[in-house]
């Protein structure tokens, strides 16, 4: 029997309905594979280069960022690891109290007082 996380009640006029919220602990999803209908052979996803019109191996695949429709900037794993982590950048933002983001309203603007 699952353990109750929260319990309470909802009142509708003269009637009260008890409510218990329990955690979902089991994965009941069904996973399917793709099969070739003629011979029921398993279908696999293959990496394919659209420019050279051929299948490529894993060591030929890298990361890149599409700047424009025609220009892609490649980036290596070493370059990615040298970048500061998002948590580090947020820490820098929080430590510098002199900078206030423009999109965040001050407390007096939030309450409607100017």
């Amino acid at each position: 029997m699952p353990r109750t996380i929260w319990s309470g009640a909802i009142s509708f006029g003269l009637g009260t309905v008890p409510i218990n919220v329990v955690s979902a602990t089991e994965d009941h999803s069904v996973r399917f594979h793709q099969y070739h209908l003629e011979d029921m052979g398993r279908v696999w996803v293959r990496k394919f280069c659209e420019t050279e019109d051929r299948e490529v191996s894993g060591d030929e695949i890298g990361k890149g960022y599409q700047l424009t429709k025609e220009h892609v900037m490649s980036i290596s794993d070493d370059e990615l690891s040298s970048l500061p982590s998002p948590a580090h950048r947020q820490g820098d933002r929080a430590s510098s109290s002199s900078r206030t983001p423009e999109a965040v309203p001050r407390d007096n603007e939030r309450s409607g007082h100017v």
Side-chain angles (χ1 to χ4, degrees), residues 1-27:
M1 178 93 178
R3 185 174 174 197
T4 301
I5 296 174
W6 180 84
S7 62
I10 299 176
S11 296
F12 296 103
L14 296 175
T16 303
V17 178
I19 304 292
N20 288 329
V21 177
V22 295
S23 62
T25 57
E26 295 182 39
D27 183 16

Side-chain angles (χ1 to χ4, degrees), residues 87-108:
H88 179 71
R89 283 184 271 162
Q90 285 180 344
D92 289 345
R93 240 183 258 150
S95 66
S96 64
S97 60
S98 62
R99 288 186 290 161
T100 303
E102 295 297 323
V104 177
R106 294 187 189 95
D107 287 321
N108 58 356

Side-chain angles (χ1 to χ4, degrees), residues 6-67:
W6 180 84
S7 62
I10 299 176
S11 296
F12 296 103
L14 296 175
T16 303
V17 178
I19 304 292
N20 288 329
V21 177
V22 295
S23 62
T25 57
E26 295 182 39
D27 183 16
H28 295 287
S29 61
V30 177
R31 290 178 173 77
F32 293 101
H33 297 290
Q34 294 179 338
Y35 289 93
H36 186 225
L37 293 177
E38 288 185 26
D39 57 7
M40 294 309 289
R42 179 89 184 264
V43 176
W44 298 95
V45 178
R46 299 221 164 103
K47 307 293 183 179
F48 201 79
C49 177
E50 63 183 16
T51 305
E52 295 179 0
D53 197 31
R54 68 175 180 91
E55 191 174 329
V56 293
S57 63
D59 58 340
E60 295 179 276
I61 299 173
K63 293 178 180 73
Y65 180 76
Q66 187 172 4
L67 296 171

